[in-house]
Amino acid sequence: MFAPVARLAGRRLQGTKRVLQPSTQIASPLAAFSRSFSTALNYHVDSPDNKADTTWEFSQANMERVKEMLSHYPSNYKQSAVIPMLDLAQQQHGGWIPVAAMNAIAKIIEVAPIRVYEVATFYSMFNRSKVGKYHLLVCGTTPCMLRGSREIEEALLKHLGVKRNEVTKDGLFSVGEMECMGCCVNAPMIAVADYSKGSEGYTYNYYEDITPKRVVEIVEMLRKGEAPPVGTQNPLRIRGGPAGGNTTLLGEPVPPPCRDLEAC
């Protein structure tokens, strides 16, 4: 009774070996692209501006900030500061984190470099390739999508002449996607990470109630060095309030019949 089962197991093992065995011939350029693209984010490959053996250090001012970060944790839990340190390194390095910066952080918090890599590769807030001085992130979650976020992204890409995650030739802009930014009431929206002034002048702002026309206007204001008004771009709305003003709760709320619950 075990013979058929053994033969089946043997055939499946041979099939697994064929799948795992490296092929000497690539079926098509598309297959090669899909394989390389699917694994591109899983490991580091040296490039001229991102080498593992490059020396990288925090600036003197930022090193003081690092010391302040470490002071929040017990000396035997330095690794707890890895996220704020990665964020600071990204600000200092123009919006992205080279592997050399991760290695420098690992030395400071006294952990194996892989402990820093696994954090940097897990969170989408950390960029491991170059971005523009203004990194434009379009919210792609359902409420914003229903309110036209795809049209917002299309307008940005067309106006800047790039694809998603590409950087414009002047190095000023790049366009990415982020999941829920937490302001669904004012959908659609974008976030702009401004790395143009380094870590000292770094800002991260939300622009809500966006339209394709308005998002292009915001880009051009940033290009000129101007500061677009943050928050809602709908002149009829105040912060997260209803457009046009309240339609309910127009007066003082009626108090409960008895405020002293023990006396009720």
Side-chain angles (χ1 to χ4, degrees), residues 6-32:
R7 285 196 296 271
L8 178 60
R11 286 197 297 270
R12 290 187 175 179
L13 179 61
Q14 292 299 320
T16 303
K17 287 181 177 179
R18 285 194 295 270
V19 171
L20 297 178
Q21 187 176 15
S23 174
T24 57
Q25 183 177 4
I26 295 176
S28 69
L30 180 60

Short mmCIF file of all heavy atoms in Angstrom, two decimals, residues 6-32:
data_model
loop_
_atom_site.label_atom_id
_atom_site.label_comp_id
_atom_site.label_asym_id
_atom_site.label_seq_id
_atom_site.Cartn_x
_atom_site.Cartn_y
_atom_site.Cartn_z
N ALA A 6 4.86 6.22 -2.24
CA ALA A 6 6.29 6.49 -2.41
C ALA A 6 6.59 6.98 -3.81
O ALA A 6 7.39 7.90 -4.00
CB ALA A 6 7.09 5.23 -2.09
N ARG A 7 5.93 6.35 -4.84
CA ARG A 7 6.17 6.78 -6.21
C ARG A 7 5.68 8.21 -6.43
O ARG A 7 6.33 9.02 -7.09
CB ARG A 7 5.48 5.81 -7.19
CG ARG A 7 6.19 4.46 -7.34
CD ARG A 7 5.68 3.75 -8.58
NE ARG A 7 4.26 3.41 -8.46
CZ ARG A 7 3.81 2.26 -7.93
NH1 ARG A 7 4.67 1.36 -7.47
NH2 ARG A 7 2.52 2.03 -7.86
N LEU A 8 4.51 8.52 -5.87
CA LEU A 8 3.96 9.89 -5.99
C LEU A 8 4.88 10.90 -5.32
O LEU A 8 5.16 11.97 -5.88
CB LEU A 8 2.57 9.95 -5.36
CG LEU A 8 1.89 11.33 -5.37
CD1 LEU A 8 1.71 11.83 -6.79
CD2 LEU A 8 0.54 11.26 -4.65
N ALA A 9 5.37 10.56 -4.13
CA ALA A 9 6.28 11.46 -3.43
C ALA A 9 7.56 11.67 -4.23
O ALA A 9 8.11 12.78 -4.30
CB ALA A 9 6.60 10.91 -2.04
N GLY A 10 8.06 10.57 -4.86
CA GLY A 10 9.28 10.69 -5.67
C GLY A 10 9.08 11.60 -6.86
O GLY A 10 9.95 12.40 -7.20
N ARG A 11 7.92 11.47 -7.54
CA ARG A 11 7.66 12.33 -8.71
C ARG A 11 7.58 13.80 -8.30
O ARG A 11 8.06 14.69 -8.99
CB ARG A 11 6.36 11.89 -9.39
CG ARG A 11 6.49 10.59 -10.20
CD ARG A 11 5.33 10.43 -11.16
NE ARG A 11 4.05 10.31 -10.45
CZ ARG A 11 3.53 9.15 -10.05
NH1 ARG A 11 4.18 8.00 -10.27
NH2 ARG A 11 2.35 9.12 -9.45
N ARG A 12 6.91 14.05 -7.17
CA ARG A 12 6.79 15.44 -6.70
C ARG A 12 8.14 16.01 -6.31
O ARG A 12 8.42 17.19 -6.51
CB ARG A 12 5.82 15.50 -5.52
CG ARG A 12 4.38 15.26 -5.95
CD ARG A 12 3.40 15.48 -4.84
NE ARG A 12 2.03 15.34 -5.31
CZ ARG A 12 0.96 15.48 -4.53
NH1 ARG A 12 1.13 15.77 -3.23
NH2 ARG A 12 -0.26 15.34 -5.02
N LEU A 13 9.00 15.18 -5.73
CA LEU A 13 10.34 15.63 -5.37
C LEU A 13 11.14 16.00 -6.60
O LEU A 13 11.83 17.03 -6.64
CB LEU A 13 11.07 14.55 -4.57
CG LEU A 13 12.50 14.87 -4.13
CD1 LEU A 13 12.50 16.12 -3.23
CD2 LEU A 13 13.12 13.70 -3.40
N GLN A 14 11.02 15.17 -7.65
CA GLN A 14 11.73 15.49 -8.90
C GLN A 14 11.21 16.78 -9.51
O GLN A 14 11.96 17.59 -10.04
CB GLN A 14 11.58 14.32 -9.89
CG GLN A 14 12.31 13.05 -9.49
CD GLN A 14 13.81 13.28 -9.37
OE1 GLN A 14 14.40 13.99 -10.17
NE2 GLN A 14 14.41 12.67 -8.35
N GLY A 15 9.89 16.97 -9.44
CA GLY A 15 9.33 18.21 -9.96
C GLY A 15 9.81 19.42 -9.20
O GLY A 15 10.11 20.47 -9.79
N THR A 16 9.92 19.29 -7.88
CA THR A 16 10.43 20.40 -7.06
C THR A 16 11.87 20.72 -7.42
O THR A 16 12.26 21.88 -7.51
CB THR A 16 10.32 20.04 -5.57
OG1 THR A 16 8.97 19.74 -5.25
CG2 THR A 16 10.81 21.19 -4.70
N LYS A 17 12.67 19.69 -7.64
CA LYS A 17 14.08 19.91 -8.01
C LYS A 17 14.19 20.66 -9.33
O LYS A 17 15.04 21.52 -9.51
CB LYS A 17 14.81 18.57 -8.10
CG LYS A 17 15.09 17.92 -6.75
CD LYS A 17 15.84 16.61 -6.93
CE LYS A 17 16.17 15.99 -5.59
NZ LYS A 17 16.89 14.69 -5.75
N ARG A 18 13.31 20.29 -10.29
CA ARG A 18 13.36 20.98 -11.60
C ARG A 18 13.01 22.46 -11.46
O ARG A 18 13.57 23.32 -12.13
CB ARG A 18 12.42 20.30 -12.58
CG ARG A 18 12.95 18.98 -13.12
CD ARG A 18 12.14 18.53 -14.32
NE ARG A 18 10.75 18.23 -13.97
CZ ARG A 18 10.33 17.03 -13.58
NH1 ARG A 18 11.18 16.03 -13.47
NH2 ARG A 18 9.06 16.85 -13.30
N VAL A 19 12.04 22.74 -10.58
CA VAL A 19 11.64 24.14 -10.37
C VAL A 19 12.75 24.94 -9.73
O VAL A 19 13.04 26.07 -10.10
CB VAL A 19 10.36 24.21 -9.51
CG1 VAL A 19 10.07 25.65 -9.11
CG2 VAL A 19 9.18 23.62 -10.27
N LEU A 20 13.41 24.32 -8.73
CA LEU A 20 14.44 25.04 -7.98
C LEU A 20 15.77 25.08 -8.69
O LEU A 20 16.62 25.90 -8.38
CB LEU A 20 14.62 24.39 -6.59
CG LEU A 20 13.39 24.45 -5.67
CD1 LEU A 20 13.70 23.73 -4.36
CD2 LEU A 20 13.01 25.89 -5.40
N GLN A 21 15.98 24.17 -9.64
CA GLN A 21 17.27 24.12 -10.33
C GLN A 21 17.45 25.35 -11.21
O GLN A 21 16.55 25.69 -11.98
CB GLN A 21 17.35 22.86 -11.18
CG GLN A 21 18.72 22.62 -11.81
CD GLN A 21 18.76 21.30 -12.55
OE1 GLN A 21 17.72 20.72 -12.82
NE2 GLN A 21 19.94 20.82 -12.86
N PRO A 22 18.58 26.06 -11.11
CA PRO A 22 18.78 27.25 -11.96
C PRO A 22 18.79 26.89 -13.43
O PRO A 22 19.44 25.93 -13.84
CB PRO A 22 20.15 27.77 -11.50
CG PRO A 22 20.82 26.63 -10.84
CD PRO A 22 19.75 25.78 -10.24
N SER A 23 18.03 27.63 -14.19
CA SER A 23 17.95 27.37 -15.62
C SER A 23 19.08 28.07 -16.36
O SER A 23 19.47 29.18 -16.03
CB SER A 23 16.60 27.86 -16.15
OG SER A 23 16.53 27.76 -17.55
N THR A 24 19.58 27.43 -17.37
CA THR A 24 20.65 28.03 -18.18
C THR A 24 20.09 28.87 -19.30
O THR A 24 20.80 29.54 -20.01
CB THR A 24 21.54 26.92 -18.78
OG1 THR A 24 20.71 26.04 -19.56
CG2 THR A 24 22.23 26.14 -17.68
N GLN A 25 18.76 28.85 -19.45
CA GLN A 25 18.13 29.59 -20.53
C GLN A 25 16.92 30.34 -19.98
O GLN A 25 16.08 29.75 -19.31
CB GLN A 25 17.71 28.65 -21.66
CG GLN A 25 17.11 29.41 -22.86
CD GLN A 25 16.77 28.45 -24.00
OE1 GLN A 25 16.91 27.25 -23.83
NE2 GLN A 25 16.34 28.98 -25.11
N ILE A 26 16.83 31.61 -20.25
CA ILE A 26 15.71 32.41 -19.81
C ILE A 26 14.63 32.37 -20.88
O ILE A 26 14.91 32.58 -22.07
CB ILE A 26 16.14 33.86 -19.54
CG1 ILE A 26 17.13 33.88 -18.38
CG2 ILE A 26 14.94 34.74 -19.23
CD1 ILE A 26 17.68 35.25 -18.09
N ALA A 27 13.40 32.08 -20.47
CA ALA A 27 12.33 31.89 -21.44
C ALA A 27 12.07 33.14 -22.26
O ALA A 27 11.87 33.07 -23.46
CB ALA A 27 11.05 31.45 -20.72
N SER A 28 12.07 34.29 -21.61
CA SER A 28 11.79 35.53 -22.33
C SER A 28 12.31 36.70 -21.53
O SER A 28 12.51 36.59 -20.33
CB SER A 28 10.27 35.69 -22.54
OG SER A 28 9.65 35.92 -21.30
N PRO A 29 12.55 37.84 -22.19
CA PRO A 29 12.98 39.04 -21.44
C PRO A 29 11.98 39.44 -20.38
O PRO A 29 12.34 39.91 -19.32
CB PRO A 29 13.09 40.10 -22.54
CG PRO A 29 13.28 39.34 -23.81
CD PRO A 29 12.51 38.07 -23.64
N LEU A 30 10.66 39.21 -20.66
CA LEU A 30 9.64 39.57 -19.69
C LEU A 30 9.77 38.72 -18.43
O LEU A 30 9.64 39.21 -17.31
CB LEU A 30 8.25 39.39 -20.29
CG LEU A 30 7.06 39.74 -19.38
CD1 LEU A 30 7.15 41.20 -18.97
CD2 LEU A 30 5.74 39.44 -20.08
N ALA A 31 10.06 37.43 -18.62
CA ALA A 31 10.23 36.56 -17.47
C ALA A 31 11.42 36.99 -16.64
O ALA A 31 11.38 37.00 -15.41
CB ALA A 31 10.39 35.10 -17.93
N ALA A 32 12.51 37.37 -17.31
CA ALA A 32 13.69 37.84 -16.59
C ALA A 32 13.39 39.10 -15.81
O ALA A 32 13.81 39.26 -14.67
CB ALA A 32 14.83 38.08 -17.57
#
